Amino acid sequence: MMEWIRWHFSKPTAADVIQRVVNRLNDAGATQVTFKEDSPEVTFTLNGTQMHSHLAHLLSDVLRAKGGRARDAEVRRYVDGVMLRPMSKDLPEHAEDYASVRSRLIPLLRTHADMGKNALNAANSLSLGQDAPPRETNDTPWRAVVGDYVAILGLDTPESTARVAQGMLDRWGVSFDDAFDDALQNLRGLPENDGWQQVAPGLWQGAWNDSYESSRLFLPDVIYRSGVAHPVVMVPLRHVLFATDANDLAGLTLMAAACRRMQQEHTRWLSCRPLQLVEREWQPFEPPEALRAQFQALIAVEDSEDYTTQKNLLEQQHAQDPAAPFVGSVQLLQFKDSDRVVSYSVWSDGVDTLLPHTDLVAFASQEKPDQTVIVAWADAVRIAGHHMQRVDGLHPPRVRVSVFPTEDEQAQLRAVQAL
């Protein structure tokens, strides 16, 4: 009943829209239908072809439509006209002429972890004997932004935003830099809609409602348009952009709490690493001491999830290789009566391991299994770093450890135990 009321008289949720999309797909004979509400997106198989689509554009159209019949029409138009159409080489990403796609380009904010995941997915497709993906899938050009953030190009289509890869740029005869400049102009030309909205005292949120909220980081003048004098921003989701003032302790607290809530409610994030805009240039933001633990906890959870995804992909890649190293996990430790959260990994005696970069390292000796030594990462590198082998090409980073510290090194580690 509540869903019917929202659909006809109020504001439908992403779950309401997805359910109606799924119902229509089922009626059309689609199988293996799965969906994610936080993205939102849907994957299904129709006539032997697996298809995938983001639903952010549809959600925006449904919210703009007035009344249940108009919203039903939007769903019907989208599913029947876009998602169920035959696959065609006439789609924008297959265009040969740059002029035909130039107005569809959009800049996208991503992270090194995103790029690493995409690379492992592509490698796994090859190792499983699937059809070799084209270069467009394997090679996505990017530009460093700041810290862990990178910029890539997207191609806006009615049903989704496709990543622009090097093969596409080569076919169009345009450089990444020139295409990115065009994409910035397209972003600047998008409708303002509600612009910046104050969602709590001292906390602002972008309300452009086009799924490109996080991309506004590429437009410093738009950030300053919020009216915040010393902007600090966070982008927990691709379509969520928060801003507050670097000197506003209450605003920073609210922003961190909002991001924490989104981590709990969603499964697919962009990043909770805060950035500060200083003279139109982004730089990592160092929270004040009173809030440092709260912000560090967000990053620890984010890194843990990134490493978990990476671990699963690496284990798929190594499934047929008995000599492959063990892929270490990241564990989180919550301190009692505190916001402090730290991460740790285990360096085990006699186990060839791909060790993740964590706050702490636990050294587990075979000879003294009841005397695990836990030290800060910096101390582990200082004392036993010569046993760490750098692993190229992995984001987030790992080192390979196949040799356990000597007795003398273990004594040095015990002398600097963190816990």
Side-chain angles (χ1 to χ4, degrees):
M1 175 61 73
M2 290 304 300
E3 184 275 336
W4 186 88
I5 293 174
R6 287 194 301 270
W7 190 261
H8 288 273
F9 303 107
S10 182
K11 184 178 179 180
T13 65
D16 297 335
V17 175
I18 288 174
Q19 186 56 59
R20 290 178 182 251
V21 169
V22 169
N23 290 343
R24 195 155 190 86
L25 288 172
N26 289 334
D27 291 343
T31 60
Q32 298 177 307
V33 181
T34 60
F35 59 86
K36 295 180 180 178
E37 292 183 12
D38 55 338
S39 304
E41 59 188 84
V42 64
T43 301
F44 61 96
T45 299
L46 185 68
N47 298 326
T49 300
Q50 187 177 59
M51 302 179 69
H52 171 268
S53 183
H54 294 281
L55 302 178
H57 291 289
L58 173 60
L59 182 58
S60 296
D61 291 341
V62 166
L63 291 176
R64 283 194 296 266
K66 303 299 183 182
R69 288 186 178 181
R71 289 166 175 168
D72 286 333
E74 291 292 344
V75 173
R76 184 169 59 252
R77 174 194 61 79
Y78 188 86
V79 176
D80 295 354
V82 177
M83 295 173 65
L84 300 184
R85 69 184 178 184
M87 297 300 290
S88 170
K89 292 297 182 181
D90 294 331
L91 294 175
E93 56 263 41
H94 297 291
E96 300 291 335
D97 180 14
Y98 180 62
S100 66
V101 298
R102 181 175 180 175
S103 64
R104 293 177 177 269
L105 293 173
I106 204 78
L108 302 177
L109 186 70
R110 297 294 184 263
T111 66
H112 282 292
D114 289 327
M115 306 306 288
K117 179 181 68 175
N118 291 336
L120 285 173
N121 270 320
N124 286 351
S125 295
L126 287 172
S127 67
L128 292 174
Q130 299 176 4
D131 292 338
R135 185 181 178 190
E136 289 87 339
T137 302
N138 278 337
D139 189 5
T140 303
W142 54 273
R143 173 190 295 175
V145 178
V146 60
D148 196 47
Y149 292 100
V150 301
I152 66 172
L153 281 167
L155 187 62
D156 190 31
T157 68
E159 72 275 15
S160 64
T161 303
R163 288 185 299 116
V164 173
Q166 188 60 50
M168 298 161 73
L169 295 176
D170 292 344
R171 189 169 67 248
W172 298 334
V174 63
S175 70
F176 175 86
D177 288 340
D178 287 343
F180 198 83
D181 288 342
D182 289 334
L184 285 175
Q185 292 303 313
N186 294 338
L187 176 66
R188 190 178 294 280
L190 292 179
E192 283 293 310
N193 291 324
D194 292 328
W196 287 102
Q197 296 290 301
Q198 189 173 28
V199 295
L203 181 61
W204 297 81
Q205 181 174 350
W208 299 278
N209 300 320
D210 54 18
S211 300
Y212 300 126
E213 278 73 13
S214 62
S215 295
R216 265 68 180 196
L217 264 70
F218 302 123
L219 303 175
D221 56 303
V222 174
I223 303 300
Y224 284 121
R225 205 177 300 161
S226 65
V228 176
H230 310 95
V232 172
V233 304
M234 294 180 76
V235 282
L237 306 175
R238 294 177 181 179
H239 62 282
V240 174
L241 171 62
F242 289 123
T244 190
D245 195 282
N247 300 318
D248 186 347
L249 195 65
L252 291 168
T253 302
L254 287 170
M255 186 166 66
C259 290
R260 177 57 180 152
R261 185 170 63 253
M262 290 185 175
Q263 278 188 336
Q264 294 170 337
E265 295 175 352
H266 299 270
T267 58
R268 186 175 180 180
W269 317 317
L270 179 48
S271 180
C272 286
R273 284 174 162 81
L275 298 176
Q276 182 173 8
L277 190 59
V278 180
E279 297 181 351
R280 300 179 65 85
E281 295 290 334
W282 289 111
Q283 59 184 242
F285 174 66
E286 290 295 331
E289 182 63 34
L291 296 178
R292 192 156 299 163
Q294 192 173 349
F295 277 84
Q296 286 299 324
L298 292 170
I299 295 173
V301 172
E302 177 182 329
D303 288 346
S304 174
E305 291 297 321
D306 285 340
Y307 271 120
T308 297
T309 300
Q310 182 193 66
K311 174 181 170 67
N312 293 336
L313 291 170
L314 286 171
E315 287 177 341
Q316 292 175 26
Q317 189 178 87
H318 299 162
Q320 305 304 318
D321 182 4
F326 172 74
V327 183
S329 299
V330 173
Q331 304 294 332
L332 296 181
L333 178 63
Q334 170 77 59
F335 284 75
K336 187 177 180 181
D337 301 325
S338 169
D339 290 328
R340 188 184 178 200
V341 176
V342 297
S343 61
Y344 71 92
S345 53
V346 180
W347 185 334
S348 297
D349 189 1
V351 180
D352 186 7
T353 303
L354 292 180
L355 194 70
H357 188 151
T358 49
D359 298 319
L360 305 173
V361 181
F363 289 85
S365 170
Q366 286 184 349
E367 296 181 359
K368 302 175 182 178
D370 58 338
Q371 297 183 22
T372 297
V373 178
I374 301 176
V375 305
W377 178 269
D379 288 326
V381 172
R382 178 174 57 83
I383 296 170
H386 55 286
H387 297 307
M388 299 178 176
Q389 303 172 42
R390 178 179 174 180
V391 181
D392 294 326
L394 289 183
H395 297 284
R398 291 177 183 264
V399 294
R400 187 168 182 172
V401 292
S402 55
V403 177
F404 201 69
T406 65
E407 284 292 338
D408 178 61
E409 291 163 349
Q410 290 179 53
Q412 295 179 56
L413 291 168
R414 285 193 293 270
V416 293
Q417 291 187 79
L419 296 177

